[in-house]
Amino acid sequence: MADERVHPHNSPSHHQHEDEEEEVSTPRPSPPSPEKPIAQPPQSPAATYVIQIPKDQIYRVPPPENADRFKCLSRPKPSRTCCACRFFCFTLLTLILLLGIAAGIFYLVVRPESPHYNINSISISPLNLSSSSPISPQFNISVTANNPNDHIGIYYEKDSSVQAFYNDVILCDGVLPQFYQPTNNVTEFNVDLKGSGVQLTSSLLNQLVADEKSETVPLKVKLRAPVKIKVGSVKTWTIKVKVNCDLTVDKLTSQSKIVSKDCGYAVDVW
């Protein structure tokens, strides 16, 4: 009796013993078959970054293999206006080139030379310079026109003019005769200039009298001649010839002589 020990019903050892029996009696689930691997939960990335960029700083760049195609497609197509401008410029350049070639051939074949003009003499009707009343000058000028060209003739047309000046005051004027000047020709013609009621100031009149006493009266003669050039059977448009001569005469009489002269000329093609 003394060896028997009584354990309480609710002692911890008793409960522990029952739990061990339950663990032994409870069947454990069998491990999964190796043919079906166990799905593992996705692993979260180590770190995540969020970068914000303004829209106006985002550039879309095509991949290298499509860069050429992108460049070709993004190239602006030429408009009809642009094509018309290119065609016009090409046509204009072609015409200029052809005209340049034609002008070069013309120059090599014709070898044009400028005509020469000269005032040979001048005759002046006597003037009354003793009073301040208006004067009526009358000049007769001898002009020589030299055409040195072998293949070019010159037509002198109407609407020409010749004017004589003293200190920028027109004394008298006239016109050239109309005529045709053939190749390699020298033509001399006279031009009558008439003035009426020319009023000179007292200072200008006194200066003219003093110049005549010193036998150095400066005059200026301006000649304007519309002409047409003839090459073979072809006649050009009207070209204006301008001749300016600075003369100095010894006196204002019919026996006046040219002391000095300086003539220059220019041509207005259009």
Side-chain angles (χ1 to χ4, degrees):
M1 291 294 291
D3 297 334
E4 292 182 357
R5 296 179 179 179
V6 178
H7 302 280
H9 181 72
N10 55 351
S11 63
S13 62
H14 178 73
H15 286 287
Q16 183 179 2
H17 180 72
E18 288 181 356
D19 293 339
E20 292 178 355
E21 288 181 356
E22 288 179 0
E23 289 177 1
V24 172
S25 61
T26 302
R28 297 180 177 180
S30 59
S33 174
E35 297 178 356
K36 298 179 179 180
I38 299 174
Q40 297 181 357
Q43 297 180 357
S44 61
T48 302
Y49 300 94
V50 178
I51 301 175
Q52 295 182 353
I53 303 176
K55 289 184 177 182
D56 58 350
Q57 297 184 7
I58 298 177
Y59 302 94
R60 296 184 179 180
V61 180
E65 60 271 11
N66 294 335
D68 294 338
R69 185 166 181 268
F70 174 78
K71 187 184 296 185
C72 180
L73 293 177
S74 61
R75 186 180 304 165
K77 296 182 179 180
S79 62
R80 292 184 177 180
T81 305
C82 183
C83 293
C85 290
R86 290 180 180 177
F87 176 76
F88 175 77
C89 292
F90 175 77
T91 305
L92 182 62
L93 290 176
T94 303
L95 290 176
I96 293 175
L97 180 61
L98 293 176
L99 288 175
I101 294 174
I105 295 174
F106 174 81
Y107 179 81
L108 293 175
V109 173
V110 178
R111 297 284 183 178
E113 296 183 37
S114 300
H116 305 289
Y117 300 93
N118 187 34
I119 296 180
N120 304 317
S121 62
I122 183 170
S123 176
I124 303 172
S125 299
L127 297 175
N128 183 14
L129 302 178
S130 59
S131 65
S132 59
S133 59
I135 59 176
S136 300
Q138 294 185 8
F139 290 8
N140 182 270
I141 299 176
S142 173
V143 181
T144 298
N146 180 16
N147 179 15
N149 293 280
D150 296 330
H151 305 282
I152 296 177
I154 302 175
Y155 285 95
Y156 288 85
E157 304 289 329
K158 61 180 181 179
D159 297 330
S160 62
S161 66
V162 182
Q163 296 174 321
F165 295 81
Y166 175 77
N167 266 4
D168 296 329
V169 176
I170 299 178
L171 299 178
C172 49
D173 56 8
V175 295
L176 296 173
Q178 293 180 243
F179 65 98
Y180 170 72
Q181 186 175 22
T183 60
N184 291 317
N185 176 264
V186 177
T187 302
E188 183 176 352
F189 51 88
N190 293 327
V191 181
D192 290 325
L193 309 181
K194 293 182 180 182
S196 177
V198 178
Q199 182 67 58
L200 300 178
T201 62
S202 58
S203 59
L204 193 59
L205 185 61
N206 293 333
Q207 183 178 351
L208 180 58
V209 172
D211 290 337
E212 187 176 16
K213 287 181 179 181
S214 62
E215 297 184 352
T216 55
V217 181
L219 300 175
K220 180 185 288 290
V221 177
K222 292 184 178 181
L223 184 151
R224 301 293 182 265
V227 301
K228 289 184 179 181
I229 305 300
K230 180 183 178 183
V231 181
S233 59
V234 178
K235 185 186 296 186
T236 66
W237 60 91
T238 302
I239 300 171
K240 181 170 285 189
V241 176
K242 298 179 179 180
V243 180
N244 296 327
C245 287
D246 293 324
L247 307 176
T248 301
V249 298
D250 58 350
K251 49 191 172 182
L252 300 176
T253 65
S254 59
Q255 303 298 323
S256 62
K257 295 181 181 180
I258 298 176
V259 178
S260 64
K261 60 183 173 181
D262 181 18
C263 295
Y265 65 92
V267 176
D268 285 345
V269 179
W270 307 106

